[in-house]
Amino acid sequence: EKGAMIAGPPTRGVGTATAKPYAIDEASQAVVERLGALAGSDAPVLLTGEASSGKGVFARILHDESPRADGPLVVLRCAGLVDQSRIDEWLGPRGGVPAGETCRLYEARGGTLLLDEVSELPPDPQERLLDVLDTLEGDVRIVATTHLDLAARAARGAFSEALVEALKGETVEIPALRERPDDIVPLAELFAKQAGASDVRLSPGALARLRSHPWPGNVLELRNAMERAVRLSGDGE
């Protein structure tokens, strides 16, 4: 989805029903098993890993495996929280949301609040988020993703130490795409179908290239590559 924040799946409609069959590499399976073990708890979970490694999809798996699966999954795209009106809409005013008023994060009550790339939050929204989390304590499951070391950023004064403490619970590292090679071709076929290829036919050369490329841009790079390939191939191989 486009835009800074969404309420719903953190990726292009890829939830548990489609994510699990494509997480077939041993490294991915280990992550899924770890998330399954954590699903029954309400403790915060921090998903770490390279940018675009699929942390949002694994966060959705955690939500859908939890007792809160029937509740909402509200996703805050932290990198896009720069416009003042959006900050007010999602986090409320500085100093906390007044009694009787609300903000968009309150929509996560009874479900899961996913803070996507939380390390990208500017300082003022960090403080406002802390205020909101205080009022939501016990009402939501907090899941955050980051491609940066939050503790190291806090040590440099670039991130709130109090917010690091609020997000500290269980940490799960999501492997980069190159570290789960058996996921690459199934994901490529999925992205080709989503791009409009009714019959996905990968040539031997394409398969070899998919498997040998290091994918520094991770899942996003793979998805973009397959969308481009579908446009170029038309109805062909």
Side-chain angles (χ1 to χ4, degrees), residues 87-200:
I87 294 173
D88 293 342
E89 176 188 2
W90 281 78
L91 301 177
R94 189 176 302 172
V97 180
E101 298 188 20
T102 188
C103 66
R104 289 293 301 276
L105 290 195
Y106 282 6
E107 296 173 9
R109 281 177 166 151
T112 301
L113 173 59
L114 173 57
L115 305 172
D116 180 69
E117 296 297 351
V118 68
S119 58
E120 302 294 336
L121 272 180
D124 178 60
Q126 290 178 33
E127 298 305 317
R128 297 196 198 196
L129 176 59
L130 273 170
D131 291 334
V132 176
L133 294 184
D134 284 342
T135 64
L136 288 174
E137 186 174 2
D139 288 343
V140 300
R141 172 77 174 274
I142 305 298
V143 181
T145 72
T146 180
H147 67 283
L148 299 175
D149 186 328
L150 295 183
R153 285 178 61 78
R156 298 195 302 269
F159 199 80
S160 166
E161 292 185 2
L163 187 51
V164 173
E165 288 298 314
L167 301 177
K168 185 184 296 182
E170 300 288 345
T171 299
V172 179
E173 184 174 357
I174 306 302
L177 184 58
R178 62 183 174 275
E179 296 170 344
R180 44 188 221 265
D182 287 341
D183 288 351
I184 294 173
V185 172
L187 282 172
E189 293 174 338
L190 171 66
F191 295 146
K193 289 178 181 177
Q194 291 178 340
S198 57
D199 180 20
V200 180

Side-chain angles (χ1 to χ4, degrees), residues 2-61:
K2 297 180 179 179
M5 290 75 61
I6 59 173
T11 58
R12 297 181 185 176
V14 182
T16 296
T18 53
K20 278 190 174 180
Y22 296 93
I24 63 174
D25 193 273
E26 289 185 3
S28 297
Q29 285 293 314
V31 173
V32 170
E33 291 176 9
R34 172 76 169 142
L35 295 177
L38 296 175
S41 168
D42 270 345
V45 174
L46 181 65
L47 302 179
T48 64
E50 294 181 8
S52 301
S53 56
K55 298 186 291 293
V57 171
F58 285 100
R60 181 62 190 250
I61 291 175

Side-chain angles (χ1 to χ4, degrees), residues 1 7 13 17 43 50 63 95 99 108 147 162 185 201 204 206 208 211-212 223 226:
E1 292 86 348
E50 294 181 8
H63 169 75
H147 67 283
V185 172
R201 289 172 288 152
R211 291 169 176 146
S212 64
R223 181 165 59 197
M226 295 313 299

